[in-house]
Amino acid sequence: MENLPRIAAYFDHHKLRLVTAESCTAGLVVATLGDVPGCGSWLECSFVTYAPEAKCRLLGVNPATIEKYNLTSEAVAREMVQGALRNSHATAAVANTGIAGPTPADGIPPGTICFAWGFEHEGTTLVFSETRRFEGDRNAVRKAGAEYAIERIVHYHAQLANGTGPRSS
């Protein structure tokens, strides 16, 4: 990922401390970030939670949210990101849940990933979320999803710095 040095410099400059909560990417976000020399100054920890029970136990995802919205949903990604922030000393978090493939699940096409990004900002937690669909085989989807997740951390944090952001959660 060619933008990693720029992204790492952004994290350093803004004194972000990052936690990841990954499902679909199975740790690829944190592994990619871990390739950056000096990442220990801004990378705190990671949760890799494939199973629904792990999402509930480790991140506090409500089973009712999974039942109502599905495992592949922005609602679940948002609860994952909030749980990652609660269970760490991070100030920024990224989470994902989805279907890498090769087959659909619950009518959701392969390549669908739901993301959430959360930030501790002026005493509250602000969360952004999106759903994207990526093409390719299972590993291509995971790689594209990990890179997208990383790029959007800067995008959404910059929105907060410019005074635009979502409602508090």
Side-chain angles (χ1 to χ4, degrees):
M1 199 174 155
E2 63 189 54
N3 291 332
L4 271 179
R6 177 188 57 80
I7 292 167
Y10 184 93
F11 293 166
D12 276 333
H13 178 75
H14 292 278
K15 300 188 182 345
L16 295 181
R17 190 93 171 124
L18 183 67
V19 59
T20 71
E22 301 181 62
S23 182
C24 185
T25 54
L28 197 51
V29 172
V30 75
T32 300
L33 293 170
D35 286 342
V36 178
C39 66
S41 67
W42 45 262
L43 183 58
E44 192 198 62
C45 65
S46 180
F47 298 89
V48 178
T49 56
Y50 242 57
E53 299 81 12
K55 288 174 180 63
C56 297
R57 186 177 67 253
L58 299 173
L59 297 171
V61 173
N62 188 332
T65 303
I66 295 171
E67 188 174 322
K68 181 176 182 178
Y69 296 102
N70 196 304
L71 207 50
T72 299
S73 66
E74 288 183 34
V76 169
R78 292 173 71 85
E79 288 189 12
M80 289 172 67
V81 90
Q82 290 166 333
L85 283 168
R86 250 190 334 272
N87 293 310
S88 70
H89 296 290
T91 58
V94 60
N96 69 67
T97 184
I99 301 167
T103 58
D106 298 323
I108 299 168
T112 303
I113 304 178
C114 300
F115 299 94
W117 297 266
F119 302 93
E120 296 299 336
H121 183 72
E122 297 177 356
T124 189
T125 301
L126 300 175
V127 178
F128 299 84
S129 61
E130 301 179 31
T131 299
R132 291 285 181 257
R133 184 150 181 240
F134 301 95
E135 297 296 324
D137 67 14
R138 179 176 178 74
N139 288 329
V141 167
R142 289 178 54 240
K143 183 176 189 298
E147 290 178 1
Y148 187 80
I150 293 166
E151 289 280 345
R152 298 297 273 185
I153 298 167
V154 171
H155 170 82
Y156 284 123
H157 187 265
Q159 282 190 10
L160 291 178
N162 293 329
T164 58
R167 66 188 186 286
S168 300
S169 59

